[in-house]
């Protein structure tokens, strides 16, 4: 990974995180669908692991560790290379939506299940808001990475 790739990853992760948070903390609540609390989920996970779980730690985990680093790396290093080998003809948009769905399965099915005991948050409204948010994250992430790659070329 070179400097340009790292900068692109961080910028695309930032754009995707902003889109996720605008959807989950502004638009969805205005539509009466519920309010995502990714910082709260991060705090629950940290607490379950016996780590400091104050608000700052939850924000750092959601915004930096997950939004800027883990999710973009997951696309670039894990998902996209496997997808290109297994389904090379899959359009990037479809791949990004599938990646976002996978993020939802891991975050809401796995992490939320472990941290709160409620797998997929018991499929309440907030679980579906989170699904849209994670798919949106994947689509915006890949769109931003593609746009940045075209600008570098």
């Amino acid at each position: 990974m070179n400097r340009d790739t790292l900068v692109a990853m961080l910028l695309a992760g930032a754009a995707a995180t902003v889109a996720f948070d605008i959807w989950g903390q502004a638009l969805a609540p205005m539509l009466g669908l519920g309010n995502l609390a990714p910082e709260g989920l991060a705090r629950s996970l940290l607490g379950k692991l016996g780590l400091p779980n104050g608000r700052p730690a939850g924000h750092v985990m959601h915004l930096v560790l997950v939004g800027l680093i883990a999710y973009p790396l997951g696309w670039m290093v894990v998902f996209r290379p496997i997808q290109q080998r297994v389904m090379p003809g899959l359009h990037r948009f479809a791949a990004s939506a599938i990646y976002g769905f996978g993020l939802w399965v891991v975050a809401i099915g796995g992490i939320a299940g472990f941290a709160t005991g409620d797998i997929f948050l018991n499929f309440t409204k907030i679980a579906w808001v989170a699904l849209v948010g994670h798919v949106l994250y994947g689509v915006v992430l890949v769109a931003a990475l593609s746009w940045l790659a075209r600008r570098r070329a």
Side-chain angles (χ1 to χ4, degrees):
M1 178 164 308
N2 62 33
R3 184 180 142 286
D4 287 344
T5 303
L6 179 61
V7 169
M9 179 186 87
L10 294 173
L11 289 173
T17 300
V18 167
F20 177 90
D21 284 344
I22 288 173
W23 162 252
Q25 297 178 40
L27 297 175
M30 285 188 328
L31 296 171
L33 300 174
N35 184 19
L36 287 183
E39 166 260 334
L41 178 57
R43 290 177 66 193
S44 294
L45 176 63
L46 291 169
K48 183 84 167 188
L49 297 172
L51 298 169
N53 66 340
R55 287 182 57 89
H59 284 297
V60 166
M61 184 168 199
H62 163 60
L63 296 171
V64 178
L65 298 178
V66 174
L68 297 182
I69 298 171
Y71 282 5
L73 271 176
W75 168 263
M76 296 166 60
V77 177
V78 179
F79 183 85
R80 185 66 170 163
I82 292 170
Q83 176 265 307
Q84 287 178 319
R85 254 184 254 118
V86 175
M87 297 174 64
L90 186 63
H91 189 276
R92 191 177 295 247
F93 176 79
S96 68
I98 293 167
Y99 179 65
F101 177 80
L103 294 176
W104 176 73
V105 169
V106 169
I108 305 304
I111 302 299
F114 173 77
T116 69
D118 296 327
I119 296 172
F120 288 103
L121 302 173
N122 292 323
F123 293 100
T124 56
K125 276 196 294 188
I126 202 67
W128 305 113
V129 172
L131 172 59
V132 172
H134 284 88
V135 170
L136 178 64
Y137 179 97
V139 170
V140 171
L141 174 74
V142 173
L145 285 170
S146 298
W147 182 79
L148 289 165
R150 283 192 307 274
R151 288 186 46 94
R152 280 196 319 251

